[in-house]
């Protein structure tokens, strides 16, 4: 599965600087992997995973294939966008296609940068949230008045739409109202923007201590990310250490997105390649096999699995099997993060 993150923010909050840094990281990726044409507003970057290089060395793999994340630069978000200001409906269409909304919020002072509507992180957040709520309210009210919902005769659906109309009209996002699985299913075909998970990222100055993990907020410096993207991987790591940072802001952001969406990675390794595969937590072995190839789910027999730590400690499949660390799992097995797997598939 492909993870798609939509980047939104008011003008001059650092969104373009961050996205340009993503595009520079993308160039290295495109040089090695056969992606189709990439839209100008999409950046595809690797999911950081140190385990892949270790597995590749053990298996003497011909190549390493990381999982990837798509970042979509959603332009045109200004106050009044829900009613057509800026690029209006265009940006709202882009948001409907992403898995999680990333709100870039400016949290630094720079007298040389005109804010153009950006006041402070809290007010910026409310401006963006209000536009999304207004668009959802328009959607819900249109459905409420349509003949379709009356014709379908679903009383529960009608009740939920009525509740949503009142809720959104009071300025609150749909995600705070819809909590049960039943309501989520009823609301699925409404495609509400404020049902999507969101991540706040604060764009701070290069000297902000929060970049070193001091504080609960997810903070990055778009300027530092741009500088790192222009360096080699080795020089980038050295620069981060010099700044007192263990990971880049982008790497921390991807980790946060995985946590927010409840995702994990399982791993396959061999002489041909070592590869990471992204699935949702709770995915069972046959469905995980189906991520590799749809036929694998139908023809699934067993999964040969080993934890990453045991695989590395014992030096690969042979050593792990000799120490009794390899498991044969059936159809009900729930995949774990870092499982090294070979699927047994029938004819």
């Amino acid at each position: 599965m492909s993870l798609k993150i939509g980047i939104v923010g008011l003008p001059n909050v650092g969104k373009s600087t961050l996205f340009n840094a993503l595009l520079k990281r993308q160039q290295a990726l495109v040089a090695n992997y056969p992606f189709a044409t990439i839209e100008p507003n999409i950046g595809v970057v690797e999911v950081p995973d140190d385990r892949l290089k270790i597995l590749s060395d053990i298996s003497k793999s011909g190549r390493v294939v990381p999982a990837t994340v798509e970042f979509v630069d959603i332009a045109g978000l200004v106050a009044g966008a829900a009613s057509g200001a800026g690029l209006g409906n265009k940006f709202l269409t882009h948001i409907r296609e992403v898995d999680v909304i990333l709100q870039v919020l400016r949290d630094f002072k720079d007298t040389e940068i005109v804010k153009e509507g950006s006041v402070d992180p809290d007010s910026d957040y409310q401006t963006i949230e209000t536009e999304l709520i207004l668009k959802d309210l328009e959607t819900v009210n249109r459905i409420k008045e349509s003949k379709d919902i009356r014709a379908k005769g679903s009383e529960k659906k009608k009740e939920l739409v009525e509740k949503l109309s009142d809720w959104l009209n009071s300025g609150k996002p749909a995600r705070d109202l819809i909590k049960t699985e039943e309501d989520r299913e009823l609301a699925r075909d409404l495609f509400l923007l404020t049902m999507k998970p969101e991540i706040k990222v604060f764009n701070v100055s290069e000297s902000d201590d929060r970049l070193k993990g001091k504080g609960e907020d997810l903070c990055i410096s778009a300027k530092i990310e741009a500088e790192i993207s222009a360096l080699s991987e080795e020089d980038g790591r050295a620069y981060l250490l010099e700044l007192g940072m263990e990971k880049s802001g982008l790497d921390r952001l991807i980790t946060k997105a995985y946590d927010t969406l409840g995702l994990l990675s399982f791993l396959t390794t061999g002489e041909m390649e070592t590869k990471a595969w992204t699935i949702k937590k709770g995915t069972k072995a046959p469905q995980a096999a189906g991520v590799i190839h749809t036929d694998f789910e139908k023809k699934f027999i067993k999964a040969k699995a080993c934890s990453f730590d045991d695989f590395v400690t014992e030096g690969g499949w042979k050593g792990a099997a000799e120490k009794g660390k390899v498991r044969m799992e059936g159809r009900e097995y729930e995949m774990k993060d870092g499982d090294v797997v070979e699927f047994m598939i029938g004819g």
Side-chain angles (χ1 to χ4, degrees):
M1 61 181 294
S2 176
L3 173 58
K4 190 175 285 191
I5 300 175
I7 308 176
V8 300
L10 295 177
N12 288 320
V13 296
K15 186 167 70 76
S16 296
T17 304
L18 175 61
F19 188 73
N20 287 337
L22 291 171
L23 291 180
K24 286 182 182 176
R25 286 185 60 159
Q26 173 182 277
Q27 295 312 310
L29 189 66
V30 172
N32 291 305
Y33 302 99
F35 285 100
T37 301
I38 296 172
E39 295 286 338
N41 68 327
I42 296 177
V44 182
V45 296
E46 297 179 4
V47 174
D49 194 334
D50 294 336
R51 299 173 297 192
L52 293 174
K53 174 66 166 61
I54 297 169
L55 290 181
S56 177
D57 289 345
I58 291 172
S59 301
K60 297 181 172 56
S61 301
R63 64 173 184 164
V64 173
V65 183
T68 57
V69 175
E70 287 186 21
F71 285 88
V72 183
D73 183 25
I74 300 173
L77 184 52
V78 294
S83 55
L87 295 183
N89 291 330
K90 186 176 181 181
F91 95 82
L92 294 163
T93 300
H94 285 314
I95 291 178
R96 285 199 172 93
E97 297 170 354
V98 304
D99 300 302
V100 60
I101 296 171
L102 172 67
Q103 292 212 30
V104 180
L105 305 167
R106 174 175 163 166
D107 198 10
F108 68 92
K109 291 186 171 72
D110 189 334
T111 55
E112 294 183 7
I113 298 177
V114 180
K115 285 196 170 183
E116 290 187 22
S118 175
V119 179
D120 58 64
D122 290 338
S123 65
D124 289 1
Y125 173 79
Q126 287 305 321
T127 297
I128 296 168
E129 192 79 340
T130 296
E131 294 306 318
L132 301 183
I133 289 170
L134 287 172
K135 197 63 185 178
D136 280 351
L137 182 60
E138 178 188 308
T139 299
V140 167
N141 285 341
R142 185 175 64 249
I143 292 169
K144 187 172 72 169
E145 299 303 322
S146 72
K147 294 177 182 178
D148 287 344
I149 194 164
R150 293 195 291 273
K152 286 177 182 175
S154 168
E155 289 304 319
K156 287 185 177 179
K157 182 71 165 278
K158 289 178 190 175
E159 288 174 12
L160 181 61
V161 168
E162 291 283 353
K163 283 182 186 176
L164 278 166
S165 179
D166 292 339
W167 186 264
L168 293 163
N169 199 43
S170 69
K172 291 177 282 192
R175 73 179 72 86
D176 290 349
L177 175 68
I178 299 175
K179 300 290 189 181
T180 68
E181 192 55 45
E182 181 184 20
D183 280 351
R184 276 192 284 271
E185 192 58 39
L186 287 170
R188 191 177 304 280
D189 64 355
L190 302 179
F191 303 108
L192 299 177
L193 305 178
T194 60
M195 276 293 292
K196 291 186 180 292
E198 63 178 8
I199 298 172
K200 294 181 187 177
V201 59
F202 295 87
N203 183 18
V204 301
S205 68
E206 306 95 289
S207 59
D208 198 305
D209 279 345
R210 287 177 293 174
L211 291 172
K212 301 172 185 177
K214 297 180 180 179
E216 296 181 3
D217 295 331
L218 176 58
C219 296
I220 67 167
S221 165
K223 187 174 180 180
I224 288 176
E225 296 304 310
E227 291 169 351
I228 292 171
S229 69
L231 301 173
S232 68
E233 187 176 342
E234 186 178 342
D235 287 345
R237 281 198 298 268
Y239 182 46
L240 285 172
L241 289 174
E242 185 182 318
L243 295 172
M245 297 164 58
E246 292 184 9
K247 293 182 177 180
S248 72
L250 176 59
D251 289 352
R252 287 184 285 113
L253 170 55
I254 293 173
T255 300
K256 177 70 172 177
Y258 264 60
D259 290 342
T260 299
L261 293 172
L263 302 177
L264 59 81
S265 293
F266 72 88
L267 312 165
T268 56
T269 186
E271 285 189 16
M272 183 178 292
E273 69 178 20
T274 292
K275 186 168 182 174
W277 306 84
T278 302
I279 55 174
K280 281 191 171 290
K281 291 177 182 175
T283 298
K284 294 185 177 179
Q287 288 70 50
V291 172
I292 297 176
H293 194 291
T294 51
D295 285 349
F296 288 5
E297 181 176 352
K298 302 172 192 172
K299 299 176 181 179
F300 174 88
I301 298 174
K302 292 281 185 183
K304 182 170 81 169
C306 181
S307 74
F308 170 78
D309 289 341
D310 287 340
F311 191 93
V312 172
T313 300
E314 307 305 336
W317 284 118
K318 187 174 183 295
E322 290 172 351
K323 293 293 180 67
K325 301 295 185 181
V326 176
R327 314 180 308 275
M328 296 303 292
E329 303 288 1
R331 303 187 71 84
E332 294 304 309
Y333 176 67
E334 284 191 9
M335 302 292 291
K336 305 290 189 298
D337 186 60
D339 274 344
V340 183
V341 187
E342 282 185 8
F343 293 107
M344 309 292 109
I345 306 301

